């Protein structure tokens, strides 16, 4: 049983007809009819009572509708959870800085970032500018704060 076909089934059940459901699903009526016939064959029971203008669910169809709603709800929650997990930012940031007045801004910057990304941890490494640059070049430090002229727009961007 495919998720796509369960969505088709629920749309037909909700709309009460294949033509309207096919329009909503952006597929042809014959394609939708074949999918529903295959679903009935797969589950081994009749799911619909087909009238002249309206389709209604059999008792088995009602049961499948309830279960399909549960299944699709779980699928949607799982997909949403996976997307959110993928967007989760976590890890460790190593900050190297020289001993200077700018270091006083570090707690404010870290606190602001921590509000948005609570799973990130920080290590602060202090040394002179040459050691901090060397550690950055070796990839041991992610961010270096050095006593050099700074473009205020860049600094404000980093604070965001």
């Amino acid at each position: 049983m495919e998720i796509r076909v369960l969505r088709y089934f629920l749309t037909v059940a909700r709309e009460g007809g294949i033509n309207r459901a096919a329009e909503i699903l952006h597929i042809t009526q014959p394609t939708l009819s074949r999918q529903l016939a295959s679903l009935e064959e797969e589950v081994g029971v009749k799911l619909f009572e087909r009238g002249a203008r309206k389709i209604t669910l059999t008792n088995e169809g009602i049961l499948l509708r309830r279960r399909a709603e549960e299944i699709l709800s779980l699928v949607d929650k799982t997909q949403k959870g996976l997307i959110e997990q993928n967007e989760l930012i976590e890890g460790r940031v190593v900050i190297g800085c020289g001993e200077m007045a700018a270091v006083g801004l570090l707690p404010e910057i870290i606190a602001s970032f921590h509000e948005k990304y609570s799973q990130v941890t920080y290590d602060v490494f202090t040394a002179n500018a040459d050691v901090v640059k060397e550690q950055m070049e070796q990839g041991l430090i992610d961010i270096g704060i050095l006593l050099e002229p700074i473009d205020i727009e860049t600094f404000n961007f980093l604070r965001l």
Side-chain angles (χ1 to χ4, degrees):
M1 200 174 307
E2 295 180 35
I3 299 298
R4 174 182 47 81
V5 176
L6 287 178
R7 290 191 196 280
Y8 291 175
F9 169 78
L10 287 177
T11 303
V12 172
R14 183 178 59 246
E15 296 302 319
I18 292 180
N19 289 333
R20 178 70 183 133
E23 288 174 22
I24 290 169
L25 294 167
H26 304 290
I27 60 175
T28 65
Q29 181 273 327
T31 299
L32 182 55
S33 292
R34 278 193 303 276
Q35 293 291 322
L36 295 176
S38 293
L39 178 61
E40 285 180 320
E41 186 177 317
E42 181 180 349
V43 296
V45 296
K46 188 175 177 182
L47 300 171
F48 298 101
E49 292 292 336
R50 291 158 175 83
R53 293 187 172 251
K54 188 160 175 92
I55 291 179
T56 57
L57 294 174
T58 62
N59 287 337
E60 294 81 3
I62 292 169
L63 174 63
L64 180 59
R65 182 184 65 203
R66 282 196 303 259
R67 295 296 187 254
E69 288 169 345
E70 292 172 9
I71 290 167
L72 294 177
S73 175
L74 186 56
V75 166
D76 293 342
K77 285 179 188 176
T78 302
Q79 287 174 334
K80 184 179 180 211
L82 290 171
I83 290 168
E84 288 172 355
Q85 182 67 30
N86 192 31
E87 293 173 354
L88 179 67
I89 295 177
E90 61 182 338
R92 184 180 78 136
V93 176
V94 180
I95 303 169
C97 56
E99 296 176 13
M100 63 183 143
V103 175
L105 296 173
L106 210 50
E108 181 185 333
I109 293 169
I110 290 174
S112 174
F113 195 82
H114 186 71
E115 282 182 32
K116 294 179 184 177
Y117 308 105
S118 61
Q119 299 297 313
V120 176
T121 59
Y122 307 89
D123 290 338
V124 178
F125 172 79
T126 59
N128 66 36
D130 292 333
V131 173
V132 170
K133 283 182 183 179
E134 183 181 305
Q135 297 270 325
M136 285 180 63
E137 289 170 359
Q138 293 175 2
L140 301 173
I141 293 176
D142 300 307
I143 300 170
I145 300 175
L146 306 170
L147 184 58
E148 293 182 7
I150 186 166
D151 175 21
I152 194 69
E153 289 180 24
T154 302
F155 181 72
N156 284 333
F157 172 75
L158 292 174
R159 290 183 66 185
L160 298 176

